[in-house]
Every structure is written in C-alpha cells, then in structure tokens.
Amino acid sequence: EQLHPPADVTKCPKVFLYQNLSTSLRDDPNKLLSIETVFGEDFSRIGSFRTSCTVCRGTHHHSLARIVEYRLRLQQQTSSHAECFTSDPNQADLFFVPIFTQPKKTHKWHSICNNTPHLVDKIRNELLYFNSSTACKHIFAVSKSFGSFSSAGTACKGWWYDPVPPFDTALRVGYSGFSLKPDALPNLFSVPYPSTVHGKLEPYNREKEYLMLFTGQDNHGDTETFSKTKYRLLSRACGGFTVAKEHL
C-alpha cells in the first residue's frame, strides 16, 4: 500500500522543500505525515462499506497542500524521483512552502491570519531563500477557495491576498479565487479539489469502465440526490459496495 507519484517521470523541475518551519507557521506540528493523515482512513472494510478494492480512503477535500508536501517528501526517499528534488537551494527551480497545511474551513483560516502576530514578517524571516530574486520561484498552496467574498482570503493579507513585495511575485495555488480589487490575487493558479476517494482496485491493472472524480459532501443542498449520486459513484470507483437499498 503506497500512494507514490508515477514512476515514469522523465523530466521535472528540481523542487526545494522547506524543512523544520516553526510551530507558528505549522498548524499541525505534532502530526506526522502518513498515508492515513494525508489521504484519510481506509473505509473499504468498515460496516456497509465492504468493497472489492484493496484500499479505499476517504480524503478531505481541503488536503491539497498536505498532499503536495507528502509527495515531495516521498521524492526524497524514492531514488526514481531523485531528479525532481533537491536539498540545495542553489540548484532549485522551485521552492515549496508548506505552511498551514492542516485541512480547515474558512473560520480557521480567519483565526490564523487575524490572530498570528506579525505573520508576514514571520514567513519572510523563516524562508531563508526568499528574496526579490527568488520569490517568483516560491509556491504557496492554500487548500481553500479564496476571493473577495471569503473572509479568510481577505484576512490573509500581505502574503496571500493583496501581497506586499516580494510576495506579489510568488506563485499561488488554490481551488479558486478572484477579487474585485485589481491585482489582489496575483499569479494565482486554480486547480480542482483532490478526489474525495483515493484507492486501489484489485486487480489494479484490470480494464476500468469508469474514470471519475468525486468531490464534496451530501449533507447540504439537494441531500437526497447528492446522497444517491455519492453512493453510486463510490460503488463504481471501488468495485461494488454493499450498501443499504435506500441509497441505490
């Protein structure tokens, strides 16, 4: 059971991963990165969720930054990916900054950004290789949608929203974001949510009828339709669930 990156990477930028950031920039300093903490617990053998897949993990959809950090750490341990990682900042094409990677909702982001004293200065002081020349190579990943209608997004000023130099040239990766204020979210690249389900089928190389991404919850909105859709997609993804009749 390993959720490794693909083994056929032939060319990639060398990424430097910042290590040993202080607890003031880490909201989960005592939680070790593992398959369970990154991709979620395996629910393929629990109760009515018995499936024919080897592993079926329920992944929090605010886990983007944690997944990226986990995969980069794997590269340090996997010889087939050594060319994609460097511990020498002078050789780095990109710098990944793993701050506040714990999956969380808007109110948590609001608390962090409003209640951490001198946050912008803390980030700047701990990123030893962050300056006006290298800022454009630094990547900040925020596992949330930040825009003008998000109190969390507008609260994280100076480094994410409405950034001061040299943060204004850094790269930003999030789910989505826009602002009515020009240039408040520069260099923002929007990506999809991670799938709510990560797993392995048995046998893994069998022909697959469906390729799908499931993201979201069924506890709000049209809950009846969402619930039925969720269970049908999960049954296709993980080889057939034994579920209650009312879900089908």
Side-chain angles (χ1 to χ4, degrees):
E1 177 189 348
Q2 295 293 332
L3 294 174
H4 285 281
D8 58 351
V9 176
T10 57
K11 186 177 181 180
C12 56
K14 287 187 178 294
V15 182
F16 178 92
L17 174 65
Y18 277 94
Q19 310 272 4
N20 303 318
L21 296 177
S22 71
T23 56
S24 62
L25 299 182
R26 301 286 295 188
D27 48 2
D28 57 345
N30 297 319
K31 182 173 287 188
L32 298 175
L33 288 180
S34 66
I35 288 180
E36 287 74 20
T37 60
V38 174
F39 295 100
E41 297 294 330
D42 179 13
F43 60 82
S44 61
R45 300 292 181 267
I46 300 175
S48 62
F49 290 98
R50 293 186 178 88
T51 80
S52 61
C53 62
T54 306
V55 180
C56 235
R57 298 191 176 280
T59 306
H60 198 297
H61 61 268
H62 292 158
S63 297
L64 170 67
R66 173 166 286 184
I67 290 174
V68 173
E69 180 184 6
Y70 179 75
R71 293 206 184 282
L72 288 175
R73 290 191 184 279
L74 278 182
Q75 289 179 5
Q76 302 174 61
Q77 307 166 13
T78 308
S79 59
S80 61
H81 294 89
E83 71 276 14
C84 302
F85 179 85
T86 181
S87 57
D88 181 356
N90 295 315
Q91 299 296 321
D93 298 305
L94 296 171
F95 297 78
F96 184 74
V97 186
I99 61 174
F100 308 130
T101 60
Q102 175 81 3
K104 52 191 163 291
K105 295 186 176 180
T106 298
H107 70 281
K108 291 287 188 180
W109 278 107
H110 187 278
S111 176
I112 287 174
C113 292
N114 278 336
N115 299 326
T116 303
H118 311 295
L119 178 55
V120 173
D121 290 335
K122 286 180 183 292
I123 297 174
R124 196 196 323 256
N125 291 337
E126 292 203 32
L127 302 185
L128 301 180
Y129 313 109
F130 182 78
N131 54 53
S132 58
S133 298
T134 64
C136 60
K137 299 180 180 181
H138 280 66
I139 300 175
F140 294 88
V142 167
S143 308
K144 198 73 179 73
S145 300
F146 276 173
S148 59
F149 299 112
S150 167
S151 60
T154 54
C156 296
K157 290 184 177 180
W159 66 278
W160 180 267
Y161 183 86
D162 199 12
V164 298
F167 289 94
D168 56 335
T169 62
L171 302 173
R172 291 161 179 76
V173 178
Y175 297 147
S176 62
F178 67 95
S179 175
L180 300 179
K181 181 178 179 180
D183 303 321
L185 289 169
N187 307 318
L188 174 66
F189 295 87
S190 295
V191 297
Y193 286 94
S195 177
T196 303
V197 177
H198 283 80
K200 275 185 163 183
L201 295 178
E202 182 61 44
Y204 185 71
N205 60 352
R206 76 181 185 187
E207 184 177 350
K208 300 173 183 64
E209 184 179 358
Y210 295 91
L211 295 175
M212 69 92 186
L213 167 72
F214 175 76
T215 299
Q217 299 290 335
D218 58 3
N219 58 4
H220 60 287
D222 187 351
T223 57
E224 180 179 0
T225 300
F226 291 166
S227 179
K228 290 179 178 179
T229 302
K230 171 184 174 180
Y231 280 88
R232 284 174 175 168
L233 288 174
L234 287 173
S235 68
R236 298 291 188 184
C238 290
F241 281 111
T242 302
V243 298
K245 182 177 180 181
E246 60 266 23
H247 294 308
L248 299 177

